[in-house]
């Protein structure tokens, strides 16, 4: 499939109406009262450009929206745009160097002012400001200009042919923000604009009325929402914090909440909760991978704040690929799945397990190999010289700090992995942090996953849409979090390889689908089996739960789970 044929194939999808789902429950906006949502990782900010945390991106999606989204099948659908631009409809140039979006007519911000192309242009300038540390910078990779051709038309130009031009303004990670509200929040000032970051003016179905970071968000229906009779709910209470188990109970046993996100619990626990009769679990597989990130920089507190956990200070242990591989092959992934996910998980060695064309045939890590791990550590010079069971080298113990967010499954994983590592002579200190803090992105906190003040950390991540180009581009040299980027950046483990960067650029200019798959698989393998800087563990099916009285829910693993909240409604009440 050649360059433009990828986009020609999307023409029909671009014409689709995004929300043509009859619910048989038409009426006035706000007719169904309150809907209650619980995320056990509490939102800490409502600006997706200042946080890569899923809980921040998804809570924000109730308020701010992109030009287009991905539906539960991974198809692009228009939201603020009239249609998805393609080569076939003239929205993407023949040479694939530009994409032109057309806004729907009459769109209004929740404050009643018109949304125009100037807001879209501003959004790009906001994220692309070199002093801003935009958490979604990879979305704008290769963009040379964003022009407002008229009030409804935006042209994005790239520095080379872009086979997948749906980076900027697509999906929950790249919504449009209001230029008037954020005008004084550019660059280094971005984190300082608390009012805007906590209460963005948006085009979505709801408006923030109160936001208590790491606790509760209250919202009311947006009276300027573009679809008559929507949302069905007059208000939202969005509760954050607690645990996945408490969230599951609150939806399926007590009925206190209507929707519970990411029920990361053992399968028998979920089944038992469902017996409560108040709610049902829903699940789907996408490309969500629980993984370990190996810090390639030194997180020692003995270093200066300017160089700690930066590329200026290589990691004294994990810079050796043999050590990283030993840690990977010592893990029993089948046991992790059995304990943590059951049928909702699959062992994987891939950062990108789907779609199939991008999934490597790498299975090397699936079989636990303790003897092979010990041999690698011997080869790397780590031996137990004093007989205490912990390897050492040059006076340093093979001791690692392993952190993750607080969650029952993750703590089980930590315990199992610590045990496996102890069997190969590795000492492991475990630390778990509140998810709201760990994923919060606060540049002043020492405990964020971006700052990475640990040797190893574990979390799950996923790309929106069906093309992993922007996801893989995150690991470009220089894209790591650091002090001068407000500790924002997507290259969490500080990986840097010029050969990898060349493949990022090659993928960006390759239109043939088979060739794109080949390049992406090579990139996946460089990050995983060749370097083991990322150690995939489990391909996770997404499991959430909703009340039996909540209609319209369509679980989406390719975009925000709350992508179609405007279509939710109350059943039987």
């Amino acid at each position: 499939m050649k360059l433009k044929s990828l986009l020609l194939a999307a023409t029909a999808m671009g014409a689709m109406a995004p929300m043509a789902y009859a619910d048989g429950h038409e009426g006035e906006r706000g007719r169904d009262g309150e809907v209650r949502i619980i995320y056990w990782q509490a939102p800490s900010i409502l600006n997706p450009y200042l946080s890569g945390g899923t809980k921040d991106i998804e809570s924000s999606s109730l308020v701010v929206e992109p030009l287009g989204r991905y539906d539960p099948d991974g198809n692009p659908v228009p939201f603020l745009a009239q249609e998805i631009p393609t080569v076939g409809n003239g929205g993407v140039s023949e040479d694939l160097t530009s994409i032109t979006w057309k806004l729907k007519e009459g769109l209004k911000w929740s404050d009643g002012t018109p949304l125009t192309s100037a807001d879209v242009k501003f959004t790009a300038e906001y994220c692309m400001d070199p002093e801003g540390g935009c958490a979604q910078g990879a979305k704008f990779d290769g963009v040379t200009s964003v022009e407002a051709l008229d009030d409804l038309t935006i042209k994005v130009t790239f520095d080379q042919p872009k086979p997948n031009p749906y980076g900027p303004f697509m999906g929950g990670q790249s919504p449009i923000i209001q230029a008037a509200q954020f005008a004084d929040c550019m660059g280094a000032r971005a984190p300082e604009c608390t009012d805007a970051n906590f209460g963005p003016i948006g085009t979505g179905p709801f408006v923030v009325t109160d936001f208590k970071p790491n606790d509760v968000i209250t919202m009311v229906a947006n009276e300027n929402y573009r679809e008559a009779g929507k949302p069905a709910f007059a208000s939202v209470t969005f509760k954050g914090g607690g645990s996945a188990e408490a969230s599951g109970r609150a939806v399926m046993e007590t009925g206190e909440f209507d929707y519970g996100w990411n029920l990361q619990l053992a399968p028998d626990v979920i089944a038992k909760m469902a017996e409560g009769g108040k709610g049902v679990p829903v699940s789907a597989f996408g490309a969500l991978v629980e993984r370990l990130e190996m810090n390639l920089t030194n997180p020692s507190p003995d270093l200066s704040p300017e160089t700690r956990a930066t590329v200026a200070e290589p990691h004294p242990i994990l810079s050796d690929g043999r050590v990283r591989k030993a840690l990977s092959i010592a893990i029993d992934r089948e046991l992790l799945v059995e304990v943590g996910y059951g049928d909702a998980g699959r062992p994987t060695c891939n950062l990108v397990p789907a779609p199939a064309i991008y999934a490597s045939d790498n299975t090397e890590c699936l079989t636990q190999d303790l003897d092979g791990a010990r041999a690698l550590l011997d080869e790397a010079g780590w031996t137990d010289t004093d007989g205490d069971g912990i390897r050492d080298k040059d006076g340093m113990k093979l001791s690692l700090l392993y952190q993750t967010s607080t969650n029952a499954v993750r703590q089980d994983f930590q315990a199992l992995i610590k045990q496996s590592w102890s069997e190969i002579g590795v000492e492991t200190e475990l630390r778990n942090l509140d998810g709201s803090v760990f994923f919060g992105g606060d540049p002043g906190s020492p405990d964020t996953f971006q700052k990475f003040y640990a040797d190893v950390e574990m979390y799950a991540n996923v790309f929106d849409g069906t093309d992993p180009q922007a996801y893989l581009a995150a690991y470009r040299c220089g894209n790591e979090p650091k002090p001068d980027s407000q500790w924002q950046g997507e290259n969490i483990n500080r990986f840097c390889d010029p050969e990898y960067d060349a493949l990022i650029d090659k993928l960006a200019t390759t239109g043939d689908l088979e060739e794109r798959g080949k390049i992406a698989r090579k990139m996946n393998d460089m990050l995983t089996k060749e370097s083991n800087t990322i150690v995939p563990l489990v391909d996770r099916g997404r499991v959430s739960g909703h009340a039996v009285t909540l209609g319209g829910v369509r679980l989406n693993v390719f975009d925000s789970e709350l992508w179609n909240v405007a279509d939710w409604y109350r059943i039987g009440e």
Side-chain angles (χ1 to χ4, degrees):
M1 194 179 292
K2 300 300 181 185
L3 280 173
K4 54 188 172 182
S5 58
L6 284 173
L7 298 167
L8 283 165
T11 303
M13 292 187 294
M16 290 170 57
M19 295 297 180
Y21 313 121
D23 62 24
H25 197 73
E26 297 176 358
E28 294 296 317
R29 175 175 292 142
R31 61 191 173 272
D32 287 339
E34 180 189 28
V35 62
R36 296 177 61 83
I37 299 170
I38 185 166
Y39 273 45
W40 53 267
Q41 290 177 8
S44 54
I45 196 169
L46 292 176
N47 180 352
Y49 292 112
L50 296 184
S51 174
T54 301
K55 40 85 176 183
D56 298 322
I57 292 168
E58 300 211 352
S59 55
S60 302
S61 72
L62 294 163
V63 180
V64 288
E65 300 176 302
L67 300 184
R69 287 196 181 282
Y70 296 94
D71 71 11
D73 297 318
N75 300 315
V77 291
F79 257 60
L80 299 180
Q82 295 178 20
E83 62 183 355
I84 298 295
T86 65
V87 171
N89 63 28
V92 175
S93 64
E94 291 280 342
D95 63 1
L96 303 182
T97 60
S98 69
I99 180 171
T100 302
W101 294 86
K102 285 276 191 179
L103 289 169
K104 292 176 178 176
E105 295 186 7
L107 292 174
K108 292 182 179 180
W109 293 103
S110 58
D111 64 1
T113 60
L115 167 72
T116 72
S117 58
D119 294 294
V120 183
K121 175 180 170 64
F122 171 82
T123 299
E125 293 170 346
Y126 176 89
C127 186
M128 294 173 69
D129 190 305
E131 297 182 3
C134 181
Q136 312 299 340
K139 283 280 195 174
F140 294 85
D141 193 47
V143 173
T144 58
S145 68
V146 177
E147 303 169 81
L149 302 184
D150 58 42
D151 281 353
L152 298 180
T153 310
I154 306 97
K155 181 180 181 181
V156 181
T157 302
F158 303 99
D159 57 9
Q160 54 193 340
K162 201 80 164 177
N164 178 41
Y166 309 116
F169 318 126
M170 272 292 288
Q173 297 171 353
S174 190
I176 311 306
I177 58 176
Q178 189 189 59
Q181 185 182 31
F182 284 88
D184 296 327
C185 305
M186 297 287 285
R189 295 195 59 191
E192 301 171 5
C193 292
T194 304
D195 289 347
N197 294 331
F198 286 3
I201 294 167
T203 56
F206 293 98
V207 177
V208 178
T209 55
D210 186 49
F211 178 35
K212 295 180 175 63
N214 304 323
D215 188 8
V216 178
I217 313 168
T218 55
M219 307 182 190
V220 295
N222 176 5
E223 291 303 321
N224 288 302
Y225 188 63
R226 60 189 171 278
E227 294 189 56
K230 295 182 180 182
F233 292 101
S235 65
V236 176
T237 297
F238 193 117
K239 180 75 175 80
S243 66
E245 185 171 6
S247 296
R249 271 203 221 96
V251 172
M252 292 188 282
E253 290 184 0
T254 69
E256 182 184 357
F257 284 86
D258 296 300
Y259 191 88
W261 165 82
N262 190 17
L263 303 184
Q264 197 175 337
L265 300 164
D268 58 325
V269 174
I270 293 177
K272 181 69 175 175
M273 287 179 178
E275 293 176 3
K278 299 286 189 179
V280 293
V282 287
S283 63
F285 273 98
L288 180 67
V289 172
E290 191 79 18
R291 91 287 292 272
L292 300 179
E293 297 270 350
M294 300 288 173
N295 197 342
L296 299 183
T297 62
N298 192 346
S300 171
D302 296 334
L303 299 172
S304 73
E306 290 74 27
T307 62
R308 183 184 182 189
T310 73
V311 295
E313 297 282 354
H315 199 286
I317 298 173
L318 297 176
S319 292
D320 190 329
R322 293 168 296 186
V323 175
R324 300 193 300 268
K325 183 172 182 178
L327 294 171
S328 176
I329 64 177
I331 297 169
D332 186 342
R333 289 165 172 79
E334 291 281 359
L335 181 59
L336 295 182
V337 169
E338 179 184 340
V339 168
Y341 295 101
D343 292 339
R346 302 182 286 210
T348 187
C349 302
N350 290 324
L351 176 65
V352 180
I357 193 168
Y358 298 115
S360 170
D361 61 1
N362 174 25
T363 58
E364 185 179 56
C365 77
L366 295 183
T367 301
Q368 184 185 35
D369 185 2
L370 294 173
D371 288 338
R374 294 185 188 105
L376 281 168
L377 294 178
D378 288 342
E379 181 185 325
W382 291 94
T383 57
D384 182 8
T385 58
D386 56 11
D388 66 352
I390 304 168
R391 293 172 183 262
D392 51 83
K393 178 182 178 182
D394 300 331
M396 175 182 290
K397 289 291 186 182
L398 185 41
S399 180
L400 302 172
L401 174 58
Y402 168 18
Q403 70 180 15
T404 189
S405 62
T406 303
N407 168 271
V409 172
R410 286 193 169 134
Q411 271 66 79
D412 285 344
F413 276 28
Q414 281 186 306
L416 291 169
I417 291 171
K418 177 178 180 176
Q419 175 60 36
S420 294
W421 287 352
S422 73
E423 294 179 37
I424 61 171
V426 178
E427 180 181 55
T428 310
E429 177 187 350
L430 302 180
R431 179 166 70 189
N432 60 83
L433 301 158
D434 184 274
S436 301
V437 175
F438 187 57
F439 296 113
D442 178 359
S445 171
D447 296 326
T448 66
F449 80 107
Q450 297 101 324
K451 195 161 279 188
F452 206 167
Y453 282 174
D455 303 302
V456 179
E457 64 185 10
M458 179 173 65
Y459 59 91
N461 211 338
V462 70
F463 54 92
D464 56 11
T466 56
D467 189 292
Q469 180 177 317
Y471 189 60
L472 292 169
Y475 295 92
R476 187 187 291 276
C477 297
N479 195 30
E480 72 280 352
K482 46 191 174 291
D484 62 9
S485 69
Q486 305 287 326
W487 289 104
Q488 292 293 342
E490 301 145 299
N491 187 352
I492 301 301
N493 57 43
R494 286 64 160 155
F495 174 82
C496 180
D497 186 334
E499 181 186 349
Y500 187 89
D501 286 2
L503 289 175
I504 294 176
D505 296 335
K506 185 176 181 182
L507 185 61
T509 60
T510 301
D512 182 84
L513 190 58
E514 292 298 328
E515 185 63 21
R516 285 180 65 76
K518 185 185 299 183
I519 296 168
R521 293 193 298 271
K522 172 61 176 174
M523 295 169 74
N524 172 90
D525 290 351
M526 288 180 72
L527 294 169
T528 56
K529 74 175 179 180
E530 293 178 19
S531 70
N532 290 281
T533 56
I534 297 175
V535 176
L537 301 172
V538 178
D539 176 13
R540 284 174 43 193
R542 189 87 60 83
V543 181
S544 292
H546 68 82
V548 294
T549 61
L550 184 63
V553 174
R554 298 182 69 208
L555 185 61
N556 191 339
V557 297
F558 296 106
D559 208 312
S560 167
E561 286 195 20
L562 307 178
W563 73 293
N564 75 329
V565 71
D567 289 340
W568 290 6
Y569 60 93
R570 187 69 69 194
I571 298 172
E573 290 190 5

